[in-house]
Amino acid sequence: MTTVRTPAGWPVTEEEARAVQDTLRERVVLDEPGPPPGTGRVTGVDVAYDDERDVVAAAAVVLDAATLDVVAESTAVGRISFPYVPGLLAFRELPTVLAALEALPCEPGLVVCDGYGLAHPRRFGLAGHLGVLTGLPTIGVAKNPFTFTYDEPAAPRGSTSPLLSGPEEVGRALRTRDGVKPVFVSVGHRVSLDNACAHTLALTPAYRLPETTRRADALCRRALREAAPALTRE
């Protein structure tokens, strides 16, 4: 487990964070298809918080994209690096997520975030931010549609409908289980929306949420339980 310090020069105000978003958003790449689903490696990242103790834990879990077997995993813990501000959650999560990715013993391949990419009020959620900083292909697969609208997809698995901000499609509602509430897929960096949805279906053979998310969620929660008491004593 890696212990993370907040990087020097990390934004401390909303104005500073939004300025960083504005600068980095221009570097998002939207015209690459991304790796083919079911090939290479795919990595899930997720975070868990203990706000009372001011601690955040991140996990990165690498899966073989064909078999969904775990190839490698890592965790990182640290102090929460930014206050809770809707639309700026990446600034609370990125230092530990980046540290967890850097601690992996292998290349992560496609990275799947439990959150948003373009489906973000400023079109730059965690998946976009992480992709730009690392250069890795990234997508966001969220549990809810945030502030956007959509029509219910048809009931069968694989059905989709546009996730809309006015007339703009910022992602898709994707049915990963027959008749079960959809997930909300958006592009982060260097992946097309069609391919992002195909990857999500490949990662959901048995459950609503991708295996990447399920396994990273369990790992970061365990890391938080183990690390919070020690960090509290510092």
Side-chain angles (χ1 to χ4, degrees), residues 73-94:
E73 58 186 34
S74 63
T75 58
V77 298
R79 298 294 182 189
I80 296 172
S81 55
F82 196 81
Y84 175 79
V85 179
L88 299 176
L89 298 186
F91 292 94
R92 289 166 61 86
E93 302 179 359
L94 273 167

Side-chain angles (χ1 to χ4, degrees), residues 2 73-75 98-105:
T2 301
E73 58 186 34
S74 63
T75 58
L98 288 168
L101 284 172
E102 289 167 2
L104 289 170

Side-chain angles (χ1 to χ4, degrees), residues 174-199:
L174 170 65
R175 194 86 70 184
T176 56
R177 310 298 303 157
D178 289 352
V180 173
K181 180 183 176 182
V183 296
F184 301 90
V185 181
S186 59
V187 170
H189 184 61
R190 300 182 57 208
V191 184
S192 70
L193 184 53
D194 284 345
N195 213 4
C197 290
H199 276 287

Side-chain angles (χ1 to χ4, degrees), residues 45-102:
V45 294
D46 201 4
V47 299
Y49 295 99
D50 186 330
D51 285 291
E52 291 185 359
R53 295 181 173 87
D54 189 36
V55 177
V56 59
V61 180
V62 186
L63 305 183
D64 180 291
T67 65
L68 302 186
D69 292 332
V70 175
V71 175
E73 58 186 34
S74 63
T75 58
V77 298
R79 298 294 182 189
I80 296 172
S81 55
F82 196 81
Y84 175 79
V85 179
L88 299 176
L89 298 186
F91 292 94
R92 289 166 61 86
E93 302 179 359
L94 273 167
T96 47
V97 170
L98 288 168
L101 284 172
E102 289 167 2

